[in-house]
Amino acid sequence: MNKQISRRTALGLLGATMTSATALRAMPARAATDGVIRFGGSLGMSGRYAETGLNIRHGYETAIKYINEEKGGVQIAGKTYSLELGIVDDASDPARATTLIQRQVDEGVDFFLGSYGSNVVLPCAGITEAAGKVTVQVGGSADQIFTQGYENIFGFFPRASRAWVTSIEFFKSIEPKPKTVSVMATNSAFSKLNAQAAAAGCKEIGLEVLDVLELPEQVTDSSSALATLRARTPDILITTTVDQNSLVIARQMIATETNVPLLYQFLGPQLPAYRESLGAKADGVVMQLPWDESLEFTDPTFGDTQSYIDYYNATNDRPFSYHTVGASSCITTYIEAMKAAGSVDPLAVRDALDAIDIVTAFGPVNFTEDGDGDPILMGAKIGQVQGGEIKVVYPENLRTAETLYPTPTWAEKG
Amino acid sequence: MTGTLFLQTLVDGLILGGIFSLSAVGFSLIFGVLGVVNLSHGIFVLLGAYLGLALKEAWGIDPLMAIPLVFGALFVLGGLVQITLVSGAVRRGSLMSSLLITFGVSLMLRDLIILVFGPDVQSLSSSWLFDTFRIGGVIVDGARASGLIASLLSLGLLSYVLYRSKVGRAMRATAQQDFAAGLCGIDVKKIYAMTFGVSAGFAGVSGIIVGLINPFTPFDDTHWTLNAFVTVVLGGVGSPVGALLGGLMLGGISTFSSQYVGSLYPNVFIFGALLLMLIVRPNGLLGNAYKGSV
């Protein structure tokens, strides 16, 4: 009996100590604020999209940490709120993501941050829309997300079919004028949709589309497609593949001496891992550039882009990517919308997001009527790897380097 | 041009097949000797790639030079996994328990990789990686050529061990009849552990080759397990020559269907061939569909 009481007492003391410690640790943040704004959502922190998922999570965390710790929370309609992040791992799996999002909706979360990958964002948007909850996301741009009449979802990128506006204009601006183009895609909705949009845009400006080559969803061998390219070499090769597949294709192009005057990879070269893997061979590769650190913007939370970068680097070990900055700007956008609405009511915030017109560290934020990013204001810039760094080569008013075209062959790159 | 394209496709197929063979031989050996369908095979392939990466980053060891170290490390790890975890499934003689245990092992090892290396895309690099050779109009790149050579050498070495050494004889005897092998004085438990170790070692070596050619993430293991399964069904269980033939067949089907039918369709032809083989010749080209074929 004595032994039982003793164990209970010990457990009780341990529990009381832990509870007190937790309460004490939480007190300073809570004591200074009148409430907590909780952001929910899921992210692929494991699974096939984990790399980008982690980049996005770091962006969310950085903004929330900065607002809570450096600014003491946010003032909305005279009340001070601290922010809380309730992001969970969906393992890049749409089925798991929808289950997790439904649970958060049931728990009363009002504001959602998006996952990564249109195949995950789209079904989650259906759930939050039905529940009247708001989502701001930086990970999905498929047309279907924005063309179903959803009123509560906002995306930082223009929808996929409009994502090629800048790129097509860029192709038009290249001198000497390219005449032919080939497109390489994988068997996924994202890749195929972008390939169709790219091919259609190229045709419109008079480029002859030689081939649209399709590969399996996970590319391990593209040698056959590359043999076709060598037999019928275009002036521009566009790949609309995700990061890992883009790297496979580029490495195999180098290894098989498959040279094109311009290699344009929609995703991949933006990542440091891609450029480290290819070294000097990455020079000349062109990409869509949703954001670049050389572009300086003001930011209502951090002050400006450089201050954001400095704070991020001081508080994180992981290198930032454009998704990271976009994710931080999602939080800033939410906060500015809440301030404009003077409320944390989801419908009022939704209306404020509809009308928002601000500049963040990521760039201008202005959504279309359907909720996707304005194709001009939020459309991608065009970047090219030069000397191991990404330079902005289009549009001309933001240019940090001239376009290198035609690019040297792989062998000439050293 | 048509002739050159055909030759290029053939060479690409042979090279790809060589890599498939090397990555599958361990799977084949474990199935042949232990009767275990090793669902953790793909993760051992990836462990090889990640160990190669760690050795390169820590000491600057060229991935190809790291092959013996990786083989040794995974031999030990594979042996330990067999002794501590898989042996239970072997004792029960249940296919389902072997599937569950090896699947569990793959999940644990995958999480370990994520913990140590993170989920990001990684790749192995080397100064000679992008060197290319031209033979007539046919292009062969350094990474793939070295992959094929390493595959042939490794498979040749394994064949030698299996058919010319005392340990190899013991493995084959255990595969044929473990009880009788035990009666003849063979330490069956030790042979099981060694077989698993050798298989894990070969998977690791193929991981180095795979990592030199393709970027990898911790989530690619199922792809390599599935490839190994198809290779083994095509070539036959337990035989290195069977694995080589199966791998070459798989590589050929993949590249020829991609080139002449469409890059989108190799999986259709690969799994079509798998079904056809199971119907027409369930034992594969060489070997036996069931235990006892080494």
Side-chain angles (χ1 to χ4, degrees), chain A residues 331-356:
Chain A
I331 303 289
T332 298
T333 303
Y334 253 129
I335 299 307
E336 293 306 305
M338 286 169 183
K339 284 181 185 170
S343 163
V344 289
D345 173 65
L347 289 180
V349 174
R350 189 271 315 275
D351 291 343
L353 284 166
D354 258 339
I356 205 156

Side-chain angles (χ1 to χ4, degrees), chain A residues 104-277:
Chain A
Q104 292 187 343
V105 166
D106 296 342
E107 286 169 1
V109 175
D110 286 328
F111 303 109
F112 285 83
L113 294 160
S115 187
Y116 178 69
S118 293
N119 61 331
V120 182
V121 172
L122 180 59
C124 293
I127 293 172
T128 49
E129 179 71 22
K133 311 291 186 181
V134 188
T135 303
V136 178
Q137 51 89 18
V138 72
S141 63
D143 282 34
Q144 294 93 322
I145 298 171
F146 305 106
T147 53
Q148 308 210 28
Y150 291 166
E151 294 181 342
N152 300 317
I153 181 152
F154 299 88
F156 260 46
F157 301 127
R159 70 188 74 168
S161 60
R162 293 178 181 171
W164 287 85
V165 173
T166 322
S167 301
I168 301 300
E169 289 300 314
F170 165 69
F171 297 147
K172 240 164 77 175
S173 75
I174 297 174
E175 291 291 345
K177 297 278 180 213
K179 293 184 177 63
T180 54
V181 63
S182 288
V183 184
M184 200 181 274
T186 54
N187 190 18
S188 69
F190 164 83
S191 186
K192 285 167 96 167
L193 191 67
N194 274 292
Q196 286 164 8
C202 287
K203 272 184 195 163
E204 273 179 23
I205 60 166
L207 283 170
E208 183 190 353
V209 180
L210 297 183
D211 291 291
V212 177
L213 302 158
E214 286 192 27
L215 298 165
E217 191 171 4
Q218 184 176 5
V219 182
T220 52
D221 179 54
S222 60
S223 53
S224 307
L226 297 183
T228 305
L229 278 179
R230 288 195 297 277
R232 202 166 42 235
T233 305
D235 293 329
I236 301 172
L237 172 64
I238 298 171
T239 70
T240 59
T241 48
V242 293
D243 305 323
Q244 189 179 359
N245 289 336
S246 298
L247 187 52
V248 172
I249 292 165
R251 282 171 69 118
Q252 290 187 5
M253 283 182 76
I254 298 166
T256 55
E257 289 184 356
T258 307
N259 289 294
V260 288
L262 191 78
L263 172 61
Y264 174 107
Q265 297 207 286
F266 189 68
L267 293 176
Q270 298 90 345
L271 294 180
Y274 175 101
R275 302 195 296 279
E276 280 165 21
S277 176

Side-chain angles (χ1 to χ4, degrees), chain A residues 47 50-51 54 187 214-216 218 220-221 223-224 227-228 230 244 247-248 251-252 254-257 277 318, chain B residues 5 12 119-121 123-124 129-130 132 134 139 141 144 212 214-215 217 219-220 223 255 258-259 263-264:
Chain A
E51 179 158 17
L54 287 176
N187 190 18
E214 286 192 27
L215 298 165
Q218 184 176 5
T220 52
D221 179 54
S223 53
S224 307
T228 305
R230 288 195 297 277
Q244 189 179 359
L247 187 52
V248 172
R251 282 171 69 118
Q252 290 187 5
I254 298 166
T256 55
E257 289 184 356
S277 176
R318 190 178 177 83
Chain B
L5 187 61
D12 288 341
D120 300 354
V121 178
S123 55
L124 291 174
L129 194 64
F130 295 128
T132 52
R134 277 182 182 271
I139 298 169
D141 63 272
R144 287 168 174 253
L212 283 168
N214 284 335
T217 72
F219 311 102
D220 295 342
H223 174 77
T255 54
S258 295
Q259 189 63 59
S263 305
L264 197 55

Side-chain angles (χ1 to χ4, degrees), chain B residues 4-16 251-252 255-256:
Chain B
T4 309
L5 187 61
F6 181 85
L7 275 177
Q8 181 72 61
T9 309
L10 184 65
V11 169
D12 288 341
L14 289 174
I15 290 174
L16 189 64
T255 54
F256 275 97

Side-chain angles (χ1 to χ4, degrees), chain A residues 40-56:
Chain A
S42 74
L43 260 179
M45 290 177 268
S46 58
R48 70 164 68 176
Y49 302 138
E51 179 158 17
T52 311
L54 287 176
N55 289 341
I56 293 174

